[in-house]
Amino acid sequence: MKNILNIYIKRPLLWDLVIAAIVCFVYNFLLNKVCLNISINQDLITSIFSDLISTSISLAGFVLASLTIIVTFKDNITQKNNANASNATVPVVNKSQSGIELLFSSKHYGRIVGVFTWAVFIYLFLFLVLSFLKLFIGKIDETFYAYLCIVPIVLITLTIYRSVLVLYRIIKLQLAR
């Protein structure tokens, strides 16, 4: 499971788009083979776009706040360690670090920041694209309406899942001390 998560986190947008394409394929299969009858009109799509726009910009703020907290937390730990080292009369040998200190000094810290940075960019991109799509909804063929809702919903869901998963892992390290 850990290897799958590592592969997923290395290229999150690519895997999110692959999963969104699979969901669209399944929807198309159900629509054609099972005769799934869903009536989608322009008003419904406009309403869904409004909800997705609000959700994406709100989640961008949440993830940006989380990223800020993580970066600030790392800086506080670094400053605390530097202050302890400068106040010591005897050179400080690296005491056993907590899990969170080890995380912030490891190669994984860059990956964590990358996950949150990508999440912010994905949400801002979705906000922009959905806003423009809402403006031009009258020019879009009705057969694409469902797909224009499925892809952003999948991207929003997977991006917040990834961000919360990383936050959970960080909190778990912090609580393990």
Side-chain angles (χ1 to χ4, degrees):
M1 185 65 167
K2 200 179 280 190
N3 288 336
I4 293 171
L5 281 175
N6 284 336
I7 291 169
Y8 175 62
I9 288 180
K10 282 183 184 176
R11 301 201 193 298
L13 185 58
L14 171 70
W15 291 110
D16 289 352
L17 291 173
V18 167
I19 293 169
I22 291 169
V23 171
C24 287
F25 177 77
V26 168
Y27 169 77
N28 190 28
F29 176 79
L30 291 174
L31 197 63
N32 293 327
K33 300 295 183 194
V34 182
C35 296
L36 189 64
N37 190 8
I38 299 175
S39 64
I40 300 174
N41 60 26
Q42 187 173 337
D43 293 335
L44 176 65
I45 294 301
T46 304
S47 173
I48 291 172
F49 278 2
S50 295
D51 293 342
L52 291 174
I53 289 168
S54 299
T55 301
S56 65
I57 202 67
S58 297
L59 287 174
F62 164 74
V63 173
L64 192 58
S66 300
L67 179 61
T68 304
I69 290 168
I70 289 170
V71 170
T72 304
F73 196 66
K74 180 186 189 287
D75 287 343
N76 288 341
I77 287 175
T78 304
Q79 288 178 357
K80 183 179 90 172
N81 289 343
N82 289 342
N84 289 343
S86 66
N87 290 339
T89 54
V90 178
V92 177
V93 178
N94 190 7
K95 299 182 219 172
S96 64
Q97 293 180 314
S98 69
I100 200 76
E101 290 171 329
L102 287 171
L103 175 71
F104 286 144
S105 63
S106 75
K107 66 179 181 178
H108 300 295
Y109 176 72
R111 241 191 222 172
I112 291 168
V113 171
V115 165
F116 285 99
T117 304
W118 267 105
V120 170
F121 286 133
I122 289 169
Y123 288 135
L124 291 177
F125 176 74
L126 284 172
F127 169 77
L128 206 66
V129 168
L130 290 169
S131 297
F132 280 116
L133 283 174
K134 188 175 175 184
L135 287 174
F136 301 110
I137 195 70
K139 306 284 185 199
I140 300 171
D141 187 16
E142 289 183 9
T143 57
F144 295 112
Y145 282 173
Y147 301 109
L148 292 175
C149 291
I150 290 171
V151 172
I153 289 170
V154 170
L155 289 177
I156 287 171
T157 303
L158 291 175
T159 303
I160 196 63
Y161 172 76
R162 188 173 47 252
S163 300
V164 169
L165 181 69
V166 170
L167 273 177
Y168 173 75
R169 300 260 177 184
I170 292 171
I171 291 169
K172 195 173 168 183
L173 277 175
Q174 181 65 23
L175 293 176
R177 340 190 213 149

